[in-house]
Amino acid sequence: EHKNRMSNAVKMHRSSKKTTITTGSVRSGKTFSHRYQEICDAWNNPYKDFVFLICGHAYPSIKLTLEAPMVETLLTLGLISGRDAHNQTDHLINLKNGNKILFRSLENYDDSIRSLNVYGASVHEYTLCKPEALAVVEGRLLLTNGKLYMEGTPKGTSNWAYQKYFADDVKDNWPNVEFVNFELWDNPLITQEAIDRILEGYDPLF
């Protein structure tokens, strides 16, 4: 049995660095952990006129994989008064304490991001977004010095995210970035038995 179940998730949640970048395979638990962190930061936001911003590459995937699961989780935790706390038109969730979570696509970031007051932000599948869009998100955090969470795994070494953050000649240039690589045992919903079955199917020489 792996001795450090969820150790990378703990590293993410405890990080004091302004930016956290998480990578990992499918079912590694990184999206689950991001949702937990997003809820914590949104609920504890001390700036009542500022939203916690959650971004994705495009609205269809945002609605299905980010917005809808967030509503269900908040209902389960009792942090929203009901489904009417979710404004589907504006992609806005009103929490019971008055704080807000706003979802935005980074496809048309000039129109949807630039005018926002943002306390903290989380960007899913950031490697699919334009680096210029991420720069706009970072700019919205200047007033609060808020934290930025980015989740995604670069597809190949030619991806801009790999070249900026992970290539050998640049990976030590980011002292204020927490890099977290999620693995299967970071997913609390996957049992040790399931992990063992998966590992049995892998050739150690592959």
Side-chain angles (χ1 to χ4, degrees):
E1 180 176 350
H2 195 275
K3 296 181 179 179
N4 296 305
R5 289 297 302 264
M6 297 188 68
S7 58
N8 292 307
V10 170
K11 177 182 178 181
M12 171 189 169
H13 297 313
R14 290 182 176 176
S15 176
S16 60
K17 295 183 178 181
K18 184 178 178 181
T19 300
T20 299
I21 296 178
T22 59
T23 58
S25 63
V26 175
R27 299 287 181 259
S28 62
K30 61 184 184 297
T31 302
F32 178 94
S33 292
H34 268 261
R35 188 177 308 134
Y36 171 85
Q37 191 65 56
E38 289 159 358
I39 291 172
C40 289
D41 284 18
W43 184 266
N44 294 315
N45 172 12
Y47 300 92
K48 296 304 178 183
D49 294 327
F50 287 65
V51 300
F52 187 88
L53 178 66
I54 299 177
C55 298
H57 173 60
Y59 274 123
S61 62
I62 291 172
K63 292 178 181 178
L64 180 64
T65 63
L66 301 179
E67 202 166 345
M70 177 63 79
V71 171
E72 296 304 318
T73 301
L74 292 171
L75 281 169
T76 300
L77 296 174
L79 298 181
I80 56 177
S81 56
R83 295 190 185 278
D84 57 350
H86 176 211
N87 185 322
Q88 297 187 51
T89 302
D90 294 336
H91 306 284
L92 181 71
I93 300 176
N94 294 285
L95 303 179
K96 279 185 176 180
N97 66 354
N99 288 345
K100 302 177 187 300
I101 299 175
L102 182 67
F103 296 83
R104 283 291 181 266
S105 164
L106 292 183
E107 282 185 303
N108 300 307
Y109 55 91
D110 284 337
D111 298 328
S112 63
I113 303 294
R114 287 190 185 277
S115 61
L116 297 176
N117 291 323
V118 178
Y119 165 60
S122 182
V123 180
H124 293 259
E125 297 296 347
Y126 79 98
T127 63
L128 301 180
C129 302
K130 295 179 180 178
E132 296 85 357
L134 293 175
V136 174
V137 174
E138 290 178 306
R140 306 319 303 163
L141 299 172
L142 292 176
L143 288 177
T144 62
N145 197 33
K147 296 194 71 172
L148 173 63
Y149 305 94
M150 299 195 298
E151 171 265 317
T153 301
K155 303 298 190 293
T157 58
S158 62
N159 183 277
W160 72 264
Y162 181 90
Q163 294 294 327
K164 181 174 181 178
Y165 294 112
F166 299 99
D168 289 340
D169 58 339
V170 300
K171 61 185 179 182
D172 295 327
N173 295 346
W174 303 98
N176 295 319
V177 175
E178 188 77 77
F179 292 95
V180 184
N181 182 39
F182 276 68
E183 302 179 75
L184 277 178
W185 43 74
D186 289 300
N187 189 335
L189 303 180
I190 296 181
T191 65
Q192 185 64 44
E193 181 183 3
I195 293 175
D196 291 341
R197 285 202 307 270
I198 293 173
L199 293 178
E200 286 175 2
Y202 279 94
D203 184 342
L205 298 180
F206 179 72

